[in-house]
Amino acid sequence: MDVLGSGHEQVVFCSDPESGLRAIIAIHSTALGPALGGTRFYPYASEAAALADVLALARGMTYKNSLAGLDLGGGKAVIIGDPRTDKTEPLLRAYGRFVEALGGRYLTACDVGTYNADLDVVARETRFAHGRSEAYGGCGDSSVLTAYGVFQGMRAAAQHCWGSPSLAGRTVAVAGVGKVGSWLVGHLVEDGADVVVTDVDPAAVERLQARHPGVRAVADTAALVRTAHDVYAPCALGGALDRETVAVLPARIVCGGANNQLATPEVARQLIERGILYAPDYLVNAGGVIQVEDERHGFSFERAQAKASGIFDVALRVFQEADRAGIAPAEAADRLAEERVRSVGRLATIRLPR
């Protein structure tokens, strides 16, 4: 992979053989501010696979933070390994020292395989770890507002498609009921939606159905995408929307919490051809970064939730701009994000007195 031609400002490979740390930190842009993005702990098949993932995720964070109206750039980190067996205090603290060495260019937080308690450990070595536990003055579980933002985006999509910002009476298929998916299901059930789910972890489904007995479950994603539904919500790992999946998808709307849902750029056009409205992932799942960013100012859940509610209005604007310009919503969202990076980011060239 041509890292130098990827458009990223900085890519750092981190290694500490004694603790077993193998990590990559990618900073895509600091035009709007320090690069904020979570740390993913995942057993990648190879370093090349980890690099490809972190580069895509970091770029997505630039767009996410811009469209959310935050004064933050985009970055991401991945730790290569199985979090169930490889995660230790020395490894997390070694990682924290690499984050600290970047001097604040990169701000880290939780992602797949990392939790608030892990960031508490990382923070023992760096000032730039956020999304910490409430016991340490942090914002707690950022998946709470991630799911809330996805729900707001889904409400906006319903408004655009059906003239009402409600999922009542609609069937929503949720793929992945982990941290974000389980909270999203709660909002959907409360709104009156019929919900069908799947997850690779049967225990996650069991926990969800214990809280929401009316939720149905199917064996796997292949079965889920063929189940009759109005809205498809990918809430697991990226690449969920490939040509084969979209070809059989019965949904009118796709809106979920996973990052990088489009397996290839061409899938955006395929969704339009099939009459499926796609709510861009980095737009609707920005509630988590809004929650984490608020921690930097002395966390207020109410303030962060109020800001995350704005995802509804931004999503409507994206859908309307896509219709007006005759382009995919993903392209419309990209344009809005890029324009803010250009127009606000250029202000850094105006020198201020010291």
Side-chain angles (χ1 to χ4, degrees):
M1 175 173 291
D2 180 10
V3 177
L4 294 178
S6 68
H8 292 67
E9 291 181 11
Q10 187 175 9
V11 179
V12 179
F13 290 80
C14 312
S15 174
D16 179 48
E18 188 136 340
S19 68
L21 174 70
R22 295 171 61 217
I24 308 172
I25 301 171
I27 297 174
H28 179 259
S29 171
T30 56
L32 293 177
L36 172 66
T39 297
R40 178 166 295 188
F41 204 135
Y42 189 75
Y44 292 96
S46 65
E47 186 177 273
L51 177 61
D53 198 31
V54 77
L55 292 176
L57 291 166
R59 181 182 183 278
M61 290 305 302
T62 295
Y63 284 72
K64 179 185 295 188
N65 293 335
S66 174
L67 209 55
L70 303 177
D71 294 331
L72 294 167
K76 203 78 173 186
V78 296
I79 297 175
I80 302 171
D82 187 335
R84 296 171 298 180
T85 57
D86 298 333
K87 188 189 297 179
T88 64
E89 178 187 347
L91 183 148
L92 292 173
R93 293 183 67 160
Y95 169 67
R97 294 184 74 83
F98 280 103
V99 173
E100 180 67 20
L102 289 169
R105 281 176 51 77
Y106 171 63
L107 311 178
T108 196
C110 300
D111 197 76
V112 174
T114 59
Y115 300 85
N116 303 126
D118 299 325
L119 270 295
D120 292 337
V121 177
V122 173
R124 294 170 70 175
E125 300 292 342
T126 180
R127 298 160 288 171
F128 309 115
H130 301 284
R132 299 184 64 189
S133 64
E134 295 177 44
Y136 285 90
C139 68
D141 184 2
S142 63
S143 64
V144 175
L145 286 190
T146 301
Y148 179 76
V150 173
F151 180 60
Q152 295 306 315
M154 199 179 290
R155 291 179 63 245
Q159 172 71 48
H160 190 75
C161 288
W162 301 313
S164 172
S166 173
L167 283 304
R170 306 288 180 182
T171 298
V172 182
V174 181
V177 289
K179 290 192 285 188
V180 173
S182 59
W183 284 108
L184 176 61
V185 169
H187 291 301
L188 293 168
V189 169
E190 185 177 359
D191 197 39
D194 296 319
V195 181
V196 56
V197 305
T198 193
D199 195 286
V200 294
D201 181 5
V205 175
E206 291 173 8
R207 288 192 297 268
L208 181 76
Q209 290 182 313
R211 294 197 304 273
H212 306 290
V215 169
R216 294 179 291 132
V218 297
D220 52 31
T221 302
L224 186 69
V225 297
R226 288 173 169 79
T227 301
H229 59 269
D230 303 294
V231 182
Y232 182 52
C235 292
L237 296 178
L241 299 173
D242 54 26
R243 293 196 63 83
E244 293 73 23
T245 298
V246 172
V248 300
L249 202 61
R252 175 67 179 87
I253 293 168
V254 172
C255 179
N259 290 308
N260 299 324
Q261 292 172 25
L262 302 180
T264 64
E266 294 75 26
V267 172
R269 177 55 54 182
Q270 184 187 9
L271 287 162
I272 293 176
E273 292 170 354
R274 293 219 53 229
I276 301 172
L277 177 65
Y278 171 61
D281 45 40
Y282 70 79
L283 160 61
V284 301
N285 68 17
V289 294
I290 290 171
Q291 182 171 336
V292 169
E293 193 275 340
D294 196 87
E295 179 182 299
R296 302 172 70 211
H297 311 291
F299 183 61
S300 164
F301 183 84
E302 292 73 19
R303 180 176 61 204
Q305 185 175 41
K307 190 159 191 176
S309 296
I311 290 172
F312 178 92
D313 294 321
V314 178
L316 276 182
R317 181 182 171 198
V318 166
F319 300 147
Q320 292 161 0
E321 174 62 18
D323 285 352
R324 184 199 66 76
I327 58 178
E331 185 177 351
D334 283 356
R335 288 184 182 182
L336 292 174
E338 289 164 358
E339 173 55 30
R340 183 166 181 267
V341 170
R342 282 193 299 269
S343 62
V344 177
R346 71 161 189 84
L347 297 178
T349 65
I350 302 174
R351 297 294 179 182
L352 301 178
R354 293 187 179 275

